Amino acid sequence: MRAAKATSGNLFANDPAFEVTAQTVSVLPPLPLAGPYDYLVPDGVSVAPGDFVEIPLGRQTQRGVVWGDAKGDVDPAKLREIFGVLPTPPMADVTRKFIDWVSAYTMAPQGAVLRMAMSVPDALEAPKPIFRFTLNPEFDAASLRMTPPRKRVLAFLADHPPMEQGDILRETGAGASVIKGLVEVGAVQRLMVTPPSPFEAPDLDIPRPDLSAEQNEAADALCARLDDGGFSCTLLDGVTGSGKTEVYFEPIRAALAQGKQVVVLLPEIALSAQWLQRFRDRFGVEPALWHSEVGQARRRDTWRAVADGSAKLVVGARSALFLPYHDLGLIVVDEEHEHAFKQEDGVMYHARDMAVTRAHLGNIPIVLASATPSLETLANVEAGRYQHVQLGSRHGVAVLPSVEIIDIRQDKPQRNRWITPTLKKRLAETFANGEQAMLFLNRRGYAPLTLCRACGHRFQCPNCTAWLVEHRAWGKLQCHHCGYQAKAPDACPSCGAEGKLAPCGPGVERLYEEAVETFPDIRVEVATSDNIMGPKAAAQLIDRVHNHEVDLLIGTQILAKGYHFPMLTLVGVVDADLGLAGGDLRAAERSYQLLTQVAGRAGRGDRPGTVMLQTADPANRVIKAIAAGDRDAFNEVELSQRMTHGMPPHGRLAALIISGKKESEVDEAAWRIGRVAPRGDGLMVLGPAPAPLSLLRGRYRRRFMIRADKSVKMQALIHDWLSKVKTPGSVRVQVDIDPYSFM
């Protein structure tokens, strides 16, 4: 531990362990600032890059990380002193390099990226000491004035090892003052002990489950990358149900056996429930969890355990990538194709791509796992930058489901109904056989739009360019972008007509209503992000399905991946066309991935599965590719079209989003930026134009889209462009490198 000079505000004073130095350093605070500031190191204080320190910043005390040598652009006489060094393991060099790289790539301030790595301020404090009490063997009990409580405490301690005060009080019924008095007279000793790590070490001796020859070959290939040392990126490409998780558990075990840390990134919090059970079965302990549902105290303990190396395996959402790993040896990105890995606000980054960078900087292997890999990943495999390991068949006796297309133009549902007669018949047969089914519709709520049949009024969010979604179960209308809610009215607010409000289109609640009316004797459950809000809720749902307390699951994309339900043999996709329309670059790719993942829930046990796609466009290439099970043909066409138009992965995209509270100011700023837009070969700038969501959370939005050849240095180009324009402080200009959402 190092100490600071005994001046006002210093954390540590008069510690002889400090070397006396005189220097200036740069310190980066976790604030949206362009870079670190220079500070003076007080006499008697020694700091090194990576140290967490307290500093004065303006009139406040702030925390930050020593980033390196001072920039030297400020007169040393004007520099302020560091207050002290915090009792936290220093941030590793590779983590600081990663933060610098992410900042440069995403064009986000360094301090904003650092804030993601310092997301738990309490973790920078020294952990509270733990005290235990035991008998003093040198004390003469005969000299002690004895009382019944004292007698009980002394007798208890004589038969037990050192115990914490709460345990002693609970077992003896004595009060805290009794123990205090015994300590004061010397009969009992108070011992300070180091708090144990909250995470047990994985049991690496548990026999692994039987793997198929194909799985063994894949696992050996991944472990070989670890043995070879150095950076490698491998795509673990396996059909749904092929056992990818059990395969990548083997390199995880190998990394843990080397004493290294491992991080596994999952796209959905709820997805971790069944994964965690598999991990417990394989390694006998719980890993460290990191996501928004983890409580603050647990986050603090986890952050510190990652920093000191006692947390060996972390499973979490994309933010887990920025934890201060002590000695990271392997990264796994499960469902690497998932859109959820892209952060759309604040620092706009894609966790999969940043994970590859983190592995490269740390000179360690990374595994990307998916049944439907992204085109970017497949392009990297084709170019030889990534290695490729394939699993072409399902594990055990399970086989891939058959896929049937239902043309809803011919096989029409009844009026105000959404399940076709063919699907209805197949559902009835499934229930009669004692099997389970799933209906998939990627729309939450009861209806996506409510309108008045008298005057045509449509209910729209006052803060966003979006319709309010009816949630009949809550009696509310809600915006799924900003969270605005309003009570569902009885009369039209525009014309006052009563009984004229009509829901338009189906959501999962409306589908639930139809299913219950059609099959009154079955048990139906809806699963969306509205009611499955964390691993605990997901685990409870899994138990109910496995215990066959549910006959029919109705859900959104939360059910599309990761789950293994052996008795689920039928999946019906109610609106397979949803998501295919519009100008989104990745609409076809994303729809193919989502529908393939949904289809993969069927027939994962010893009973064959069937997938039925209800569509008004059976000739669509996405629908045809899924029905034919021909992923390669779909990817080939999609990649060819991207190449023709110079789109990723054959070109580069970036977006500028100009937003503000006043529409006139936003338009003025967008016009000024547009006037000096760059031009040149291999470059196209589109805009400014109103974003599809031109009003979002009360802010008006305009967009520029930049398409460029891969040779163009996009960040330098945008930096030069924006440096030519000064925008008012009330207008925000955000840069999104490699955008995934076009809203």
Side-chain angles (χ1 to χ4, degrees):
M1 182 182 293
R2 293 189 287 271
K5 181 180 176 182
T7 57
S8 176
N10 281 347
L11 299 178
F12 304 103
N14 302 321
D15 188 336
F18 264 123
E19 298 176 9
V20 178
T21 63
Q23 60 176 324
T24 56
V25 294
S26 63
V27 178
L28 182 63
L31 300 170
L33 304 171
Y37 293 158
D38 286 357
Y39 282 87
L40 182 67
V41 180
D43 293 340
V45 175
S46 176
V47 297
D51 282 344
F52 290 88
V53 295
E54 275 200 345
I55 55 173
L57 189 64
R59 296 183 177 181
Q60 297 181 334
T61 297
Q62 182 60 256
R63 291 169 173 179
V65 177
V66 176
W67 220 246
D69 293 335
K71 295 179 291 183
D73 54 358
V74 177
D75 182 353
K78 297 181 179 180
L79 294 181
R80 304 172 73 180
E81 288 189 345
I82 288 173
F83 285 152
V85 183
L86 292 160
T88 305
M91 180 176 283
D93 288 349
V94 65
T95 303
R96 288 182 288 110
K97 290 177 182 177
F98 180 53
I99 289 169
D100 284 340
W101 197 97
V102 173
S103 170
Y105 189 84
T106 63
M107 301 188 69
Q110 282 176 285
V113 182
L114 176 63
R115 183 163 54 189
M116 296 192 294
M118 292 178 61
S119 57
V120 190
D122 290 350
L124 301 177
E125 303 286 351
K128 293 182 179 179
I130 294 177
F131 294 100
R132 290 180 180 167
F133 298 84
T134 188
L135 288 180
N136 181 357
E138 299 178 358
F139 183 79
D140 182 8
S143 65
L144 182 65
R145 185 177 67 84
M146 198 64 67
T147 64
R150 283 183 168 184
K151 187 180 296 185
R152 292 197 302 272
V153 169
L154 295 175
F156 178 78
L157 290 178
D159 294 333
H160 292 84
M163 304 284 286
E164 292 184 36
Q165 178 172 283
D167 296 328
I168 300 171
L169 300 182
R170 185 168 50 254
E171 294 295 329
T172 65
S177 60
V178 175
I179 296 178
K180 181 180 179 182
L182 289 172
V183 171
E184 290 175 347
V185 299
V188 170
Q189 294 178 318
R190 189 176 76 156
L191 309 175
M192 187 171 72
V193 297
T194 302
S197 172
F199 303 104
E200 298 179 65
D203 185 349
L204 305 183
D205 295 326
I206 295 177
R208 76 180 191 184
D210 292 333
L211 301 181
S212 68
E214 185 181 46
Q215 288 176 317
N216 267 316
E217 185 178 348
D220 289 344
L222 296 179
C223 290
R225 311 284 188 267
L226 202 69
D227 293 338
D228 292 342
F231 167 75
S232 65
C233 182
T234 305
L235 169 63
L236 177 58
D237 179 4
V239 299
T240 55
S242 59
K244 293 184 291 297
T245 302
E246 293 297 341
V247 168
Y248 70 63
F249 274 174
E250 293 311 299
I252 287 177
R253 182 195 175 282
L256 295 174
Q258 294 177 6
K260 302 290 187 178
Q261 291 174 298
V262 179
V263 59
V264 179
L265 300 183
L266 300 176
E268 299 276 359
I269 294 171
L271 188 63
S272 65
Q274 206 166 46
W275 192 99
L276 287 173
Q277 185 56 53
R278 292 179 187 175
F279 184 86
R280 284 190 291 266
D281 293 343
R282 182 67 181 85
F283 295 105
V285 297
E286 291 270 4
L289 277 177
W290 188 265
H291 52 71
S292 59
E293 298 296 318
V294 176
Q296 190 63 22
R298 189 64 169 180
R299 288 172 71 86
R300 179 194 63 226
D301 293 344
T302 301
W303 194 97
R304 291 195 68 91
V306 170
D308 66 26
S310 60
K312 291 301 183 183
L313 188 132
V314 178
V315 178
R318 56 181 180 249
S319 59
L321 188 60
F322 291 89
L323 287 170
Y325 295 97
H326 174 76
D327 189 12
L328 187 60
L330 175 67
I331 301 173
V332 177
V333 182
D334 204 352
E335 308 290 356
E336 66 84 25
H337 65 277
E338 268 295 321
H339 178 75
F341 282 126
K342 173 71 178 187
Q343 179 157 299
E344 301 283 7
D345 54 7
V347 180
M348 295 182 172
Y349 70 95
H350 197 294
R352 176 200 63 222
D353 299 339
M354 298 304 104
V356 173
T357 296
R358 177 62 178 83
H360 191 273
L361 291 172
N363 204 30
I364 61 173
I366 179 172
V367 176
L368 309 179
S370 177
T372 54
S374 64
L375 293 181
E376 284 82 359
T377 295
L378 290 173
N380 279 316
V381 169
E382 182 68 23
R385 287 185 287 269
Y386 295 176
Q387 299 176 58
H388 196 193
V389 173
Q390 291 183 282
L391 298 171
S393 59
R394 284 189 160 180
H395 182 58
V397 298
V399 296
L400 289 170
S402 60
V403 180
E404 301 177 18
I405 297 176
I406 301 175
D407 187 343
I408 61 173
R409 298 171 301 179
Q410 307 298 326
D411 191 0
K412 298 181 180 180
Q414 297 177 355
R415 188 172 181 272
N416 288 328
R417 291 291 184 269
W418 317 101
I419 304 174
T420 60
T422 299
L423 179 54
K424 191 182 301 182
K425 178 182 176 183
R426 194 65 63 88
L427 285 166
E429 293 171 353
T430 300
F431 302 141
N433 291 334
E435 298 166 349
Q436 295 166 308
M438 176 195 295
L439 291 178
F440 174 79
L441 176 63
N442 204 23
R443 275 205 194 108
R444 294 154 54 196
Y446 186 84
L449 170 66
T450 301
L451 60 77
C452 175
R453 288 177 295 189
C455 70
H457 174 76
R458 300 184 178 197
F459 287 83
Q460 182 172 329
C461 176
N463 305 317
C464 306
T465 311
W467 308 123
L468 292 176
V469 177
E470 180 183 359
H471 286 262
R472 189 160 291 189
W474 308 341
K476 293 181 178 179
L477 302 175
Q478 184 183 37
C479 175
H480 287 171
H481 297 283
C482 72
Y484 170 85
Q485 292 184 355
K487 185 177 181 296
D490 297 321
C492 174
S494 179
C495 69
E498 296 185 1
K500 295 294 184 180
L501 300 182
C504 299
V508 288
E509 290 180 19
R510 201 169 191 183
L511 201 58
Y512 170 84
E513 186 178 84
E514 179 181 353
V516 170
E517 290 179 4
T518 306
F519 304 104
D521 297 327
I522 67 166
R523 297 158 297 181
V524 186
E525 186 151 345
V526 173
T528 74
S529 58
D530 293 321
N531 64 330
I532 306 295
M533 294 182 286
K536 183 177 180 180
Q540 292 170 346
L541 170 68
I542 290 168
D543 288 343
R544 292 193 295 275
V545 176
H546 273 288
N547 295 335
H548 215 142
E549 299 170 14
V550 178
D551 300 304
L552 175 62
L553 266 174
I554 298 175
T556 58
Q557 64 181 353
I558 198 172
L559 291 178
K561 52 223 170 249
Y563 291 112
H564 177 78
F565 301 131
M567 290 297 291
L568 198 154
T569 59
L570 177 64
V571 170
V573 180
V574 173
D575 188 353
D577 305 327
L578 188 62
L580 288 173
D584 190 335
L585 165 70
R586 294 181 173 84
E589 179 189 10
R590 191 153 37 218
S591 294
Y592 178 84
Q593 291 165 340
L594 180 59
L595 294 177
T596 300
Q597 294 284 347
V598 171
R601 298 317 102 200
R604 295 172 70 96
D606 56 4
R607 303 190 184 198
T610 302
V611 180
M612 310 191 80
L613 306 177
Q614 292 189 169
T615 173
D617 186 12
N620 186 285
R621 63 189 178 89
V622 173
I623 303 297
K624 291 173 69 176
I626 293 172
D630 197 344
R631 189 189 82 183
D632 292 343
F634 169 78
N635 287 337
E636 184 178 343
V637 172
E638 188 71 11
L639 281 168
S640 175
Q641 291 187 356
R642 301 271 188 95
M643 181 179 290
T644 300
H645 296 94
M647 292 294 187
H650 300 294
R652 300 197 64 191
L653 284 181
L656 298 186
I657 304 99
I658 297 93
S659 66
K661 294 287 187 180
K662 294 183 178 180
E663 189 172 15
S664 59
E665 291 183 350
V666 173
D667 285 332
E668 173 69 16
W671 177 77
R672 289 181 179 276
I673 292 172
R675 282 184 61 196
V676 294
R679 291 173 176 80
D681 294 338
L683 177 68
M684 178 184 295
V685 178
L686 302 175
L693 284 173
S694 59
L695 179 66
L696 181 65
R697 302 183 186 96
R699 298 182 68 88
Y700 294 93
R701 304 167 76 242
R702 304 293 181 262
R703 284 181 68 105
F704 288 89
M705 186 64 68
I706 306 104
R707 184 196 63 76
D709 292 346
K710 297 195 78 171
S711 60
V712 172
K713 296 180 179 179
M714 186 72 82
Q715 288 84 351
L717 180 143
I718 294 174
H719 182 273
D720 180 65
W721 177 11
L722 294 180
S723 68
K724 299 175 181 177
V725 184
K726 186 175 182 179
T727 56
S730 57
V731 173
R732 181 190 306 156
V733 180
Q734 291 177 286
V735 180
D736 188 359
I737 302 293
D738 306 327
Y740 264 60
S741 170
F742 294 83
M743 293 292 103

